[in-house]
Amino acid sequence: MSGNCWGRAFQVTTFGESHGPALGVIVDGCPPGVALSEDLVQRDLDRRRPGQGPASTTRSEEDEVEILSGLFEGRTTGTPIGMIIRNKDHQSSAYDALKDLFRPGHADLTYFLKYGVRDHRGGGRASGRETAARVAAGAAARAVLRGVGVSVKSGVIRVGDVEAIERDFEEAERNPLRCPDAEAAERMLELVMECARSGDTVGGVVEIVATGVPAGLGEPVFGKLDADLAGALMGIGAVKGVEIGDGFAAASRKGSENSDPLEKGGGGHVASRRNFAGGVLGGISTGEPIIARIAVKPTPSIASEQDTVTKMGAATKVQVKGRHDPCICPRIAPVAEAMALITLCDHLLRQRGQTGKAGPLGELG
Amino acid sequence: MSGNCWGRAFQVTTFGESHGPALGVIVDGCPPGVALSEDLVQRDLDRRRPGQGPASTTRSEEDEVEILSGLFEGRTTGTPIGMIIRNKDHQSSAYDALKDLFRPGHADLTYFLKYGVRDHRGGGRASGRETAARVAAGAAARAVLRGVGVSVKSGVIRVGDVEAIERDFEEAERNPLRCPDAEAAERMLELVMECARSGDTVGGVVEIVATGVPAGLGEPVFGKLDADLAGALMGIGAVKGVEIGDGFAAASRKGSENSDPLEKGGGGHVASRRNFAGGVLGGISTGEPIIARIAVKPTPSIASEQDTVTKMGAATKVQVKGRHDPCICPRIAPVAEAMALITLCDHLLRQRGQTGKAGPLGELG
Amino acid sequence: MSGNCWGRAFQVTTFGESHGPALGVIVDGCPPGVALSEDLVQRDLDRRRPGQGPASTTRSEEDEVEILSGLFEGRTTGTPIGMIIRNKDHQSSAYDALKDLFRPGHADLTYFLKYGVRDHRGGGRASGRETAARVAAGAAARAVLRGVGVSVKSGVIRVGDVEAIERDFEEAERNPLRCPDAEAAERMLELVMECARSGDTVGGVVEIVATGVPAGLGEPVFGKLDADLAGALMGIGAVKGVEIGDGFAAASRKGSENSDPLEKGGGGHVASRRNFAGGVLGGISTGEPIIARIAVKPTPSIASEQDTVTKMGAATKVQVKGRHDPCICPRIAPVAEAMALITLCDHLLRQRGQTGKAGPLGELG
Amino acid sequence: MSGNCWGRAFQVTTFGESHGPALGVIVDGCPPGVALSEDLVQRDLDRRRPGQGPASTTRSEEDEVEILSGLFEGRTTGTPIGMIIRNKDHQSSAYDALKDLFRPGHADLTYFLKYGVRDHRGGGRASGRETAARVAAGAAARAVLRGVGVSVKSGVIRVGDVEAIERDFEEAERNPLRCPDAEAAERMLELVMECARSGDTVGGVVEIVATGVPAGLGEPVFGKLDADLAGALMGIGAVKGVEIGDGFAAASRKGSENSDPLEKGGGGHVASRRNFAGGVLGGISTGEPIIARIAVKPTPSIASEQDTVTKMGAATKVQVKGRHDPCICPRIAPVAEAMALITLCDHLLRQRGQTGKAGPLGELG
């Protein structure tokens, strides 16, 4: 596995830069016989697309996917699924001023230090646009997982200091903040609009919940389900923290406060009473909902002038122009879902390979 | 890479159960010519060993390493380094009562659900003892990294609600809490002693800092340095959250508050003024200190009786006996260091392979 | 690494079926700064293209490559290189008769048994067309290797019973059999024409020679250079055997006959007197020319009727129509070159990662 | 996967040098619940052990295996199986004369060129002793495969120019040449004895046959079953060629001669009439016996003096002393079996992961 590839059994490799001809992805290891189509993938891509609300940039990315292989008569064949998304809205000249200097908080500096060369147009490979390819792959994973009853949802549960109380993920699909709490969504929107007006941005927290996940997914030591989820989620640009279950809150507790007794749940399977652990014990799924949260930093593309240096090391100022999201969280949510879907699908297939089952729903006896 | 293997260029595979004959590890991909010895590895193992203070169990694990291969005349040869640590202190019968039931908060349930069989003695593969193998591998990584000036340190910066203010990692080596703040260490100790007296446990936060890391480590999309660190650290038992740099705090900020201008640092390399990002931009190291923090849940091995179920699904009670750490944080710190060392070493070699350099310290011009 | 991916440091993943929208490949891990262009890739693709002589099918595959990512201003950036080749010449209906039965000697049967579904049009994923994607990736590897002085050539050294004596690889580029012996090429051509007339096909042997390969490439035990080359070459359709150096001939010899003394060669590096080993000792390159040969079976697409069975298991007859190569060897040669190039490039980068050098040319002292 | 690791789902990593403290192996990904014991592994190790006949060295390798993990109450638990074999018969001083020079035909030169340092004692990591670790891993694979009815056998079918006609693999277990033809075995023995008397060695060919292999194993393009077998077998020291099915013989044939019609075999599954392809079509198993052959060069450790060079590049002579096999083939056979077993087991688990089945025996309908 290289640095552009995720998963071992269900393996996703992406390519493409923000302002090159196209983005793309190969999904390798998808089981045969799964119903999949460009429409189905497009549906997920459309959820990530910008220009859907005030929290979002107005860049018109159509993000139209073309599936090049791996399908036959509407079903997967077991061979790799190649998909591409053309870049149509090139405004490369907007980035000319950034050619020889580095935007603070961006990958400009580090790409240059690593490779000695960089495609400066729109962030190149480090652009958020690359995540469209991940979302396309996530749609394939979703198609596989749907067949075994697994569902992954997400919502923005915090923007700046505004926190959601409710977890109504249907609601999250309706409001522009993708917030699972209608009341909080309104206050979040106010905050974001205020940022937009002042050329500022704001961070937040996204929660991802997977239900119907069979018990038994995850490997003992280094391929733990929660560890792979953490790697998958931290690998999204702007993400600076990941929690599973109660996360950092658990670090303040005593063992007696954090005790989570086991009991026989509905349907005969075992469940912990409070799911403090977020559906994972010892790195392996319990059959309960898997809960992860990610901390998203405010995007560094603010309107005010910032100090920086040029490629030659001289001090200078930079003012980032162009169309940018005042709050990236609503668009990160579908990407986080995609990474969770891919990771869960990967572990489902690994589990099936090693043990011959896709994992029972925590049944004993 | 399987579920017991970490790293791609510097590849670490561990094996072993808590009460089996031995634990062990293979370090594959270590460059030739690096000075290494059993003494050097033992030094790191001794830092993880229990029984070193009131926060720790009194189980006498000697954790004596034997290097079986990969060394010749005191230096690595480039061939795999095999190391084993015998399990000497078997008290398997202490675990007989746990054979047919599952301790809440432990991996007992999930191993059973996954594999249909489990070695119930002392947690088997899921035991914290397995981390001794990781620490041994980390010592090899430390030896490689020392040669290029990279140093990794760690400390317990929170226990329950007691927080460290200082970051004196020399001090962390002196007090039993491994806290980098002598004053806070005393209050932490009081809290831990109180837990020990009442048969309770307490969680905390560990911080890991790597200095001297060359710029350019990390891959563009899925092998990001921060993502791999997150996966490495979340894969340690009891860890429920990972932050890089300012982590969750950044999620509350506005972009203008989180702005971190670039400037020419001492020695001619570029630096961000405040290192909010924790040494990683776009998933690639900047040359600045890399800072990570992990949330450690209180160990679930508390003295009070808890509800649980048996293998057959019947409700029952369990009281966990035996020797357990009231606060696992001081012992997790060296493991977290080891995982960071392994991950950094892996990326150093990957970077060297792809670009022919181990990465400059952020020099421009 | 999945089943459609080759290489670890220089990683090639292909996708695409014979009669789907397109074939494609992602080359991940290519070093930055390497001069590459569509023209350069096209040059290699054109050598694989059919319709170039009597030994070849007349299907007009234009095989026009489009590079979608990883290049900036004519040089690689270190990010993945995505390339696609559209399938233009669909004559899917020609394959309708094959929908429910299996051609003997083809992958029809096994794809069906494995996946339960198959794209029967033109062999689907198992078609020789897929190798165009490998050749495109090979062109990228060639660009990298050229920079360190490595060159890979190939030629058809046997067709049926006609054997080449000379090894003039310039000549191989001139005659339609891609035979490095002009005189033998004529006799091969006669044999192939005779086969073409009678609707028959014929097998042969292809030799691949790599010069300028630094000493030190290859890993000790399972990633041996010769083992990886064997895997790379045996993975080409129709290949049934691989030899390194003297191969099967060495199996008949005594040790005294096979002795190959070492001596100081020109330029101060060590060389074996006769290079019986084909440039690899203990799985690691010596710095001498690497020599491999592959056995190519006659393509099973013959004009005469053959017994077979249907999907339902009923006995039937099949007569394979369409445009087929009477001798596939001249078209396999560029594919074999590509696989050797990819494998050598992969090992070059791995070697550089582990030891910090790309390997000296066998210099001592 | 590193250079000391083989397999993706069933993953084998070995370590150890000829004259270090021990050899070892980790088998990761073994399914839970498989009956395994040190006795079972020892049985396979004993078949590889030297000193069992005139074709073999008299070095007394006891090769006693110790299983350190992954077993509980006689069955695998799904966690990694660690095994070690102590090196007991150190006669390191016998190798002192080789410290500063390179034996022709050995890996001495290339290890030095690659790593700049080498453990010269007994070939170090490149010693045939390393293969004991592979055989131990093969025994675990055999235990898994036995459960699904797969059996792997091998025999020496050629020594120098003496060829076996029969394929009686029971007989192969009885004679010291491990030849499946009692009559040929006698003539082989004469040839080997003659070599032993004159301090010479001789090469040969080993055949490996796997029966009961389900249809559907192998991946479409780069993880083909035959390609992985080729890589696995070419990775054994002294092997210079690999054939699948009719191999190089097929290269001389016409398509009409090589035609192998499909028909309904006994038990209702499909079979090719003659199995020319050796049980693999398009890289995927057909359900028929899988047949591979390897060319083994004569070991270069001959008694007569050979020209060579020193580490400093000076011309010198070397005479290899010590105990060496006049014909290594009978000892390579169990290693080749092990590599085939590991590779088949790996593909069985990969197939089960991707398609949910371990592959039918070629049933249609």
Side-chain angles (χ1 to χ4, degrees):
Chain A
M1 291 194 303
S2 66
N4 296 282
C5 178
W6 187 255
R8 298 174 197 182
F10 185 87
Q11 202 160 55
V12 169
T13 312
T14 76
F15 64 89
E17 278 80 38
S18 173
H19 284 65
L23 303 164
V25 63
I26 302 180
V27 177
D28 196 4
C30 187
V34 177
L36 191 67
S37 65
E38 287 174 352
D39 278 356
L40 217 56
V41 176
Q42 196 65 49
R43 210 174 301 170
D44 269 12
L45 278 173
D46 289 349
R47 294 176 67 229
R48 192 208 73 98
R49 205 174 45 187
Q52 302 187 83
S56 168
T57 129
T58 56
R59 172 171 172 175
S60 73
E61 301 182 62
E62 287 185 31
D63 284 359
E64 201 180 317
V65 74
E66 182 185 6
I67 300 184
L68 300 177
S69 67
L71 286 191
F72 185 60
E73 299 177 347
R75 294 198 173 264
T76 59
T77 58
T79 58
I81 304 165
M83 301 188 266
I84 60 169
I85 299 158
R86 294 269 168 194
N87 288 320
K88 289 178 180 164
D89 182 30
H90 294 305
Q91 297 197 359
S92 305
S93 57
Y95 294 93
D96 279 357
L98 304 177
K99 196 173 174 182
D100 294 320
L101 50 78
F102 310 112
R103 293 170 296 169
H106 277 279
D108 299 353
L109 171 68
T110 49
Y111 268 64
F112 180 74
L113 291 174
K114 183 181 186 73
Y115 297 115
V117 30
R118 74 187 170 99
D119 182 345
H120 67 279
R121 302 166 303 168
R125 179 83 180 133
S127 166
R129 248 194 91 60
E130 177 273 334
T131 59
R134 306 193 202 186
V135 170
R142 198 189 293 276
V144 175
L145 290 170
R146 188 179 291 123
V148 292
V150 178
S151 168
V152 175
K153 303 198 160 164
S154 68
V156 177
I157 62 161
R158 185 147 67 89
V159 170
D161 293 321
V162 184
E163 243 173 296
I165 307 302
E166 301 296 318
R167 289 292 184 276
D168 176 354
F169 291 110
E170 303 300 308
E171 169 59 30
E173 296 299 305
R174 285 190 295 264
N175 66 65
L177 264 302
R178 206 176 288 282
C179 173
D181 179 332
E183 189 273 328
E186 281 182 40
R187 287 183 293 129
M188 287 176 181
L189 189 56
E190 276 171 46
L191 176 55
V192 169
M193 298 283 278
E194 181 199 308
C195 287
R197 276 189 299 269
S198 59
D200 209 344
T201 60
V202 64
V205 174
V206 175
E207 186 170 287
I208 304 100
V209 177
T211 53
V213 177
L217 305 198
E219 299 203 47
V221 169
F222 292 125
K224 287 179 173 173
L225 183 59
D226 45 359
D228 274 8
L229 282 170
L233 296 169
M234 191 71 95
I236 301 170
V239 173
K240 300 300 288 181
V242 182
E243 292 184 322
I244 304 292
D246 282 7
F248 277 87
S252 303
R253 291 196 194 128
K254 292 196 173 172
S256 51
E257 297 159 350
N258 206 54
S259 166
D260 197 352
L262 296 173
E263 56 192 20
K264 207 139 179 193
H269 65 273
V270 183
S272 61
R273 204 164 287 162
R274 305 186 280 185
N275 195 18
F276 280 164
V280 185
L281 282 174
I284 300 173
S285 63
T286 61
E288 296 165 288
I290 290 175
I291 298 161
R293 270 179 308 283
I294 53 176
V296 179
K297 73 173 183 182
T299 48
S301 298
I302 54 176
S304 45
E305 210 176 58
Q306 299 177 75
D307 289 340
T308 190
V309 291
T310 68
K311 271 165 80 168
M312 302 308 293
T316 184
K317 304 258 181 202
V318 64
Q319 193 179 0
V320 180
K321 282 163 188 159
R323 305 146 301 175
H324 297 286
D325 295 293
C327 180
I328 197 73
C329 293
R331 294 187 62 207
I332 278 195
V335 180
E337 271 182 47
M339 292 309 301
L341 285 161
I342 292 166
T343 303
L344 286 167
C345 189
D346 183 45
H347 275 282
L348 188 91
L349 300 181
R350 284 155 76 172
Q351 159 74 343
R352 187 163 70 173
Q354 200 191 356
T355 68
K357 56 186 173 183
L361 252 157
E363 281 170 56
L364 304 178
Chain B
M1 291 192 302
S2 66
N4 296 282
C5 178
W6 188 254
R8 298 174 196 182
F10 185 87
Q11 202 161 55
V12 169
T13 311
T14 76
F15 64 88
E17 278 79 37
S18 172
H19 285 65
L23 304 164
V25 63
I26 302 180
V27 176
D28 196 5
C30 187
V34 176
L36 190 67
S37 64
E38 288 174 351
D39 279 356
L40 217 55
V41 176
Q42 197 64 50
R43 211 175 298 170
D44 269 11
L45 278 173
D46 288 350
R47 293 176 67 228
R48 192 208 73 100
R49 204 174 46 187
Q52 303 185 85
S56 166
T57 129
T58 56
R59 173 172 172 176
S60 73
E61 301 181 64
E62 287 187 29
D63 285 356
E64 199 180 319
V65 73
E66 181 185 6
I67 300 183
L68 299 177
S69 66
L71 285 190
F72 185 61
E73 299 177 347
R75 295 198 170 263
T76 58
T77 58
T79 59
I81 303 165
M83 301 188 267
I84 61 170
I85 300 159
R86 295 270 169 193
N87 287 321
K88 289 179 179 163
D89 182 30
H90 294 304
Q91 297 197 1
S92 306
S93 57
Y95 294 92
D96 280 355
L98 304 177
K99 194 173 175 181
D100 295 318
L101 51 79
F102 310 112
R103 293 168 296 169
H106 277 278
D108 299 353
L109 171 67
T110 49
Y111 268 64
F112 180 74
L113 291 174
K114 183 181 186 75
Y115 297 115
V117 28
R118 73 186 170 100
D119 181 345
H120 67 279
R121 301 166 304 168
R125 180 82 180 134
S127 165
R129 249 195 89 61
E130 177 273 336
T131 59
R134 306 193 201 186
V135 170
R142 199 189 293 276
V144 175
L145 290 171
R146 187 179 291 123
V148 291
V150 179
S151 166
V152 175
K153 304 200 159 163
S154 69
V156 177
I157 62 160
R158 185 148 67 88
V159 170
D161 294 319
V162 185
E163 244 174 295
I165 307 302
E166 302 295 319
R167 291 292 185 275
D168 176 354
F169 291 109
E170 304 300 308
E171 169 60 30
E173 296 298 306
R174 285 191 295 264
N175 66 64
L177 264 301
R178 205 174 290 281
C179 173
D181 179 333
E183 188 274 329
E186 280 182 40
R187 287 183 294 127
M188 288 176 181
L189 189 55
E190 277 171 44
L191 176 55
V192 169
M193 298 284 279
E194 181 198 308
C195 287
R197 276 189 298 268
S198 59
D200 209 344
T201 61
V202 64
V205 175
V206 175
E207 185 170 287
I208 304 99
V209 177
T211 52
V213 177
L217 304 200
E219 300 204 45
V221 169
F222 292 126
K224 287 179 173 175
L225 183 58
D226 44 1
D228 274 9
L229 282 170
L233 295 170
M234 192 72 95
I236 302 170
V239 174
K240 300 301 288 181
V242 182
E243 293 183 320
I244 304 291
D246 282 7
F248 277 86
S252 304
R253 291 195 194 128
K254 293 198 172 170
S256 51
E257 295 160 351
N258 206 52
S259 165
D260 198 353
L262 296 173
E263 56 190 22
K264 207 136 179 194
H269 65 273
V270 183
S272 61
R273 204 164 287 162
R274 304 186 282 186
N275 195 18
F276 279 162
V280 184
L281 282 173
I284 301 173
S285 62
T286 62
E288 294 165 289
I290 289 174
I291 298 161
R293 270 179 308 282
I294 54 177
V296 179
K297 74 173 183 182
T299 48
S301 298
I302 55 177
S304 43
E305 210 176 57
Q306 300 178 74
D307 288 339
T308 191
V309 291
T310 69
K311 270 165 80 167
M312 302 309 292
T316 184
K317 305 255 182 204
V318 64
Q319 196 181 356
V320 181
K321 283 163 187 158
R323 306 145 301 174
H324 297 285
D325 297 292
C327 179
I328 199 73
C329 293
R331 293 186 62 206
I332 278 195
V335 180
E337 270 182 47
M339 292 308 301
L341 285 160
I342 292 166
T343 304
L344 287 167
C345 189
D346 184 44
H347 275 281
L348 188 90
L349 300 182
R350 284 156 75 173
Q351 158 75 343
R352 188 164 68 173
Q354 200 191 355
T355 67
K357 55 187 174 182
L361 252 159
E363 283 171 56
L364 304 178
Chain C
M1 290 194 302
S2 66
N4 296 281
C5 178
W6 187 254
R8 298 176 195 180
F10 185 87
Q11 202 161 55
V12 170
T13 311
T14 76
F15 64 88
E17 279 78 38
S18 172
H19 285 64
L23 304 164
V25 62
I26 302 180
V27 177
D28 196 4
C30 187
V34 177
L36 190 67
S37 65
E38 288 174 351
D39 279 356
L40 217 56
V41 176
Q42 197 64 50
R43 210 175 299 171
D44 269 12
L45 278 173
D46 289 349
R47 294 176 66 228
R48 192 209 73 100
R49 206 175 43 188
Q52 302 188 84
S56 168
T57 129
T58 56
R59 172 172 173 176
S60 73
E61 300 180 65
E62 287 186 30
D63 283 357
E64 201 180 317
V65 73
E66 183 185 5
I67 300 183
L68 300 176
S69 67
L71 285 190
F72 184 61
E73 300 176 345
R75 296 199 171 264
T76 59
T77 58
T79 60
I81 304 165
M83 299 189 268
I84 60 168
I85 299 158
R86 294 269 169 195
N87 287 320
K88 290 180 181 165
D89 182 29
H90 293 305
Q91 296 198 359
S92 306
S93 57
Y95 294 93
D96 280 356
L98 304 178
K99 195 174 173 180
D100 294 319
L101 50 78
F102 310 112
R103 292 169 296 168
H106 277 279
D108 299 353
L109 171 68
T110 49
Y111 267 64
F112 180 75
L113 291 174
K114 183 181 186 74
Y115 297 114
V117 31
R118 73 187 171 99
D119 182 346
H120 67 279
R121 301 167 303 167
R125 180 83 180 132
S127 165
R129 249 194 89 60
E130 177 272 335
T131 58
R134 306 193 201 186
V135 170
R142 198 190 294 277
V144 176
L145 290 171
R146 187 180 291 121
V148 292
V150 178
S151 167
V152 175
K153 303 197 160 166
S154 68
V156 177
I157 61 161
R158 184 147 68 86
V159 171
D161 293 321
V162 184
E163 244 174 295
I165 307 302
E166 301 296 318
R167 288 294 183 275
D168 176 354
F169 290 109
E170 303 300 309
E171 169 59 30
E173 295 300 305
R174 284 190 295 264
N175 66 65
L177 264 301
R178 207 176 286 283
C179 173
D181 179 333
E183 188 274 327
E186 282 182 40
R187 287 183 293 129
M188 287 176 181
L189 189 55
E190 277 171 45
L191 176 56
V192 169
M193 298 283 279
E194 181 200 307
C195 286
R197 277 189 297 269
S198 59
D200 208 346
T201 60
V202 63
V205 174
V206 176
E207 186 170 286
I208 304 99
V209 177
T211 52
V213 177
L217 304 199
E219 300 204 45
V221 169
F222 292 125
K224 288 179 172 175
L225 183 59
D226 44 1
D228 274 8
L229 282 170
L233 295 169
M234 191 71 95
I236 301 170
V239 173
K240 301 301 288 181
V242 182
E243 293 183 321
I244 303 292
D246 283 7
F248 278 87
S252 304
R253 291 194 195 130
K254 293 198 172 170
S256 51
E257 295 160 351
N258 206 53
S259 165
D260 198 354
L262 295 173
E263 56 191 21
K264 206 135 179 197
H269 66 271
V270 183
S272 61
R273 204 164 287 163
R274 304 186 281 187
N275 195 18
F276 279 162
V280 185
L281 283 174
I284 300 172
S285 63
T286 61
E288 296 165 287
I290 290 176
I291 298 161
R293 270 179 308 282
I294 53 177
V296 180
K297 74 172 182 181
T299 48
S301 297
I302 54 176
S304 45
E305 210 177 59
Q306 299 178 75
D307 289 340
T308 191
V309 291
T310 70
K311 270 164 81 169
M312 303 307 294
T316 185
K317 305 257 182 203
V318 64
Q319 195 179 359
V320 181
K321 282 163 189 159
R323 304 145 302 174
H324 297 286
D325 296 294
C327 179
I328 198 73
C329 292
R331 293 187 63 206
I332 278 195
V335 181
E337 271 181 47
M339 292 308 302
L341 285 161
I342 293 165
T343 305
L344 287 167
C345 189
D346 183 45
H347 275 282
L348 188 90
L349 300 182
R350 284 156 76 173
Q351 159 74 344
R352 188 164 70 171
Q354 201 191 356
T355 68
K357 57 186 174 183
L361 253 158
E363 282 170 57
L364 305 177
Chain D
M1 291 194 303
S2 66
N4 296 282
C5 178
W6 188 253
R8 297 174 196 183
F10 185 88
Q11 202 162 54
V12 170
T13 311
T14 76
F15 64 88
E17 280 78 38
S18 172
H19 285 65
L23 303 164
V25 63
I26 301 179
V27 177
D28 195 5
C30 188
V34 177
L36 190 67
S37 64
E38 288 175 351
D39 279 356
L40 217 56
V41 176
Q42 196 64 50
R43 211 175 299 169
D44 270 12
L45 278 173
D46 289 349
R47 294 176 67 229
R48 193 208 72 98
R49 205 174 45 188
Q52 301 187 84
S56 169
T57 129
T58 55
R59 173 172 171 175
S60 72
E61 299 182 64
E62 288 186 31
D63 283 356
E64 200 179 320
V65 73
E66 181 184 7
I67 300 183
L68 299 177
S69 67
L71 286 190
F72 185 59
E73 298 176 348
R75 295 198 172 264
T76 58
T77 58
T79 58
I81 304 165
M83 300 189 266
I84 59 169
I85 300 158
R86 295 270 169 194
N87 287 319
K88 290 181 178 161
D89 183 30
H90 294 305
Q91 297 197 0
S92 306
S93 57
Y95 294 92
D96 280 356
L98 304 177
K99 196 173 173 181
D100 294 319
L101 51 79
F102 310 112
R103 292 168 297 168
H106 277 279
D108 299 353
L109 171 67
T110 49
Y111 268 64
F112 180 74
L113 290 174
K114 183 181 187 71
Y115 297 114
V117 31
R118 72 186 172 99
D119 182 345
H120 67 279
R121 300 165 303 167
R125 181 81 180 134
S127 165
R129 247 193 93 59
E130 177 272 335
T131 59
R134 306 193 200 187
V135 169
R142 198 189 293 277
V144 176
L145 290 170
R146 187 179 293 123
V148 292
V150 179
S151 167
V152 175
K153 303 199 160 165
S154 69
V156 177
I157 61 162
R158 186 146 69 87
V159 170
D161 294 320
V162 184
E163 244 174 294
I165 307 302
E166 301 295 319
R167 289 292 184 277
D168 177 353
F169 291 110
E170 303 300 309
E171 169 61 31
E173 296 299 305
R174 286 191 295 263
N175 67 63
L177 265 301
R178 206 175 288 280
C179 173
D181 179 333
E183 190 273 328
E186 281 183 40
R187 286 183 295 129
M188 287 175 180
L189 189 56
E190 277 172 43
L191 176 56
V192 169
M193 299 284 278
E194 182 199 308
C195 286
R197 277 190 297 270
S198 59
D200 208 344
T201 61
V202 64
V205 174
V206 175
E207 186 170 286
I208 304 100
V209 177
T211 53
V213 177
L217 304 198
E219 300 203 45
V221 168
F222 292 126
K224 288 180 172 174
L225 183 59
D226 44 359
D228 274 9
L229 283 170
L233 295 170
M234 191 71 96
I236 302 170
V239 173
K240 300 301 289 181
V242 182
E243 292 183 321
I244 303 292
D246 283 7
F248 278 86
S252 304
R253 291 196 194 129
K254 293 196 173 171
S256 52
E257 296 160 349
N258 206 53
S259 166
D260 197 353
L262 296 173
E263 57 190 20
K264 205 134 178 198
H269 65 274
V270 183
S272 61
R273 204 163 287 162
R274 305 187 281 188
N275 196 17
F276 279 163
V280 184
L281 283 174
I284 300 173
S285 62
T286 62
E288 296 165 288
I290 290 175
I291 299 162
R293 271 180 306 284
I294 53 177
V296 180
K297 74 173 184 180
T299 48
S301 298
I302 54 176
S304 44
E305 209 176 57
Q306 299 178 76
D307 289 340
T308 192
V309 291
T310 68
K311 270 165 79 169
M312 302 309 292
T316 184
K317 305 256 182 203
V318 64
Q319 194 180 359
V320 181
K321 281 164 188 157
R323 304 145 302 171
H324 297 285
D325 296 292
C327 180
I328 198 74
C329 293
R331 295 187 61 206
I332 277 195
V335 180
E337 270 181 48
M339 292 309 301
L341 286 159
I342 293 166
T343 303
L344 287 166
C345 190
D346 183 45
H347 275 282
L348 188 91
L349 300 181
R350 283 156 76 174
Q351 157 75 342
R352 188 163 69 172
Q354 201 191 354
T355 68
K357 55 187 174 183
L361 252 159
E363 281 171 56
L364 305 178

